[in-house]
Amino acid sequence: MDELGPAGFEEWHRGFVARRGRADPAWRPAELPVPLARSLARFQLGEGSDGAGLIGAATAAGDGDYLAAARLFVAEEQDHARLLGRLLAVAGRPTVAAHWSDSVFRLLRRRAGVSRELMVLMVAEVCALRYYRAVRDGAADPLAREVAARVLADEEQHVPFHVQRLRVDLAARPAAVRAGLAAAWWMLFLPAAAAVAADHGAALRLLDVRPTRFLADAIALFRPVVAAVLGPAAGRPGGA
Ligand SMILES: [Fe+2]
Ligand SMILES: [Fe+2]
């Protein structure tokens, strides 16, 4: 478990700092079909919304290294909102101010500790992984593909970052508690991922990804996350 100690988060911090200095894509006019623009606008809203709760919980947890990395994580998500907002703007498409999915995620995370914050957030992160891959690989517009590739590369770091923090918090819990948490996590994930697949179905079809394919792929991405955080191999203290 030593590799999961507080020192581990310094490395994540360095990764976030390194990515922060990247140049933007070369902004130019873009063409986004309405279903894709609507779908991107919903993701844009979610990207901009995950700050205060996690930072508050991380502050309360009192781990300075993690808090420093978490602040940069939040900034990176907000930068995704900026990039997607700019993409929508150059395509002449509107952003949205509210959507029920964003409200549900906010409600679930209200007054949560770090673990619950991250378990709820992870559901969105895993869906985002599959979603941005679909945009990167399937969008007709080159700028949309470029922005999606950039966001996806960051999201691929977010999932292991949260896995590491969740393991710090949850690995020492008794096996029965971990099994219960895993079941609860799946019960949150499955309807949420199905809702994303349905809600973004028109955009996904446009990107040549059937919603059922999206759901199956998201499940395949989530399974190793649950195993890494809560599976038998996630370990008991000293049990390894
Ligand atoms: Fe993001
Ligand atoms: Fe993310």
Side-chain angles (χ1 to χ4, degrees):
M1 297 296 293
D2 286 341
E3 80 277 14
L4 299 178
F9 290 108
E10 288 168 17
E11 208 150 306
W12 288 107
H13 188 272
R14 278 196 290 277
F16 284 118
V17 169
R19 288 195 296 281
R20 205 164 46 166
R22 289 165 301 178
D24 268 15
W27 297 109
R28 53 201 188 267
E31 280 195 35
L32 299 176
V34 169
L36 180 58
R38 282 200 184 131
S39 162
L40 286 168
R42 285 170 203 164
F43 268 86
Q44 195 265 348
L45 177 66
E47 295 279 6
S49 73
D50 47 4
L54 179 62
I55 296 305
T59 305
D63 175 345
D65 285 334
Y66 177 68
L67 177 60
R71 282 190 198 283
L72 294 185
F73 157 74
V74 168
E76 193 161 274
E77 295 291 27
Q78 283 166 351
D79 200 52
H80 294 168
R82 183 187 64 84
L83 290 166
L84 292 170
R86 187 101 190 244
L87 173 64
L88 288 163
V90 296
R93 300 292 189 196
T95 53
V96 289
H99 186 254
W100 60 266
S101 58
D102 189 58
S103 309
V104 169
F105 272 107
R106 280 169 187 260
L107 192 67
L108 285 167
R109 292 167 57 188
R110 201 165 63 172
R111 287 197 286 277
V114 171
S115 305
R116 180 146 64 95
E117 275 278 346
L118 292 183
M119 287 178 80
V120 175
L121 184 57
M122 188 77 90
V123 169
E125 296 277 41
V126 168
C127 290
L129 275 184
R130 184 62 188 93
Y131 177 77
Y132 290 120
R133 180 152 72 84
V135 179
R136 181 198 64 183
D137 296 346
D141 185 87
L143 183 61
R145 291 201 301 270
E146 200 179 327
V147 169
R150 159 84 167 260
V151 174
L152 177 63
D154 295 348
E155 303 298 356
E156 283 171 345
Q157 300 300 313
H158 294 176
V159 169
F161 173 59
H162 302 323
V163 163
Q164 180 166 341
R165 175 66 210 200
L166 282 167
R167 287 182 63 174
V168 169
D169 286 356
L170 302 178
R173 302 285 180 89
V177 172
R178 292 208 316 273
L181 285 171
W185 212 3
W186 276 109
M187 282 190 284
L188 176 65
F189 179 82
L190 290 172
V196 171
D199 193 37
H200 296 265
L204 289 170
R205 281 187 210 94
L206 208 68
L207 299 168
D208 217 14
V209 176
R210 287 190 314 280
T212 48
R213 174 82 262 158
F214 175 91
L215 182 58
D217 290 349
I219 288 169
L221 289 166
F222 190 58
R223 189 171 288 123
V225 169
V226 179
V229 173
L230 295 165
R236 301 148 181 275

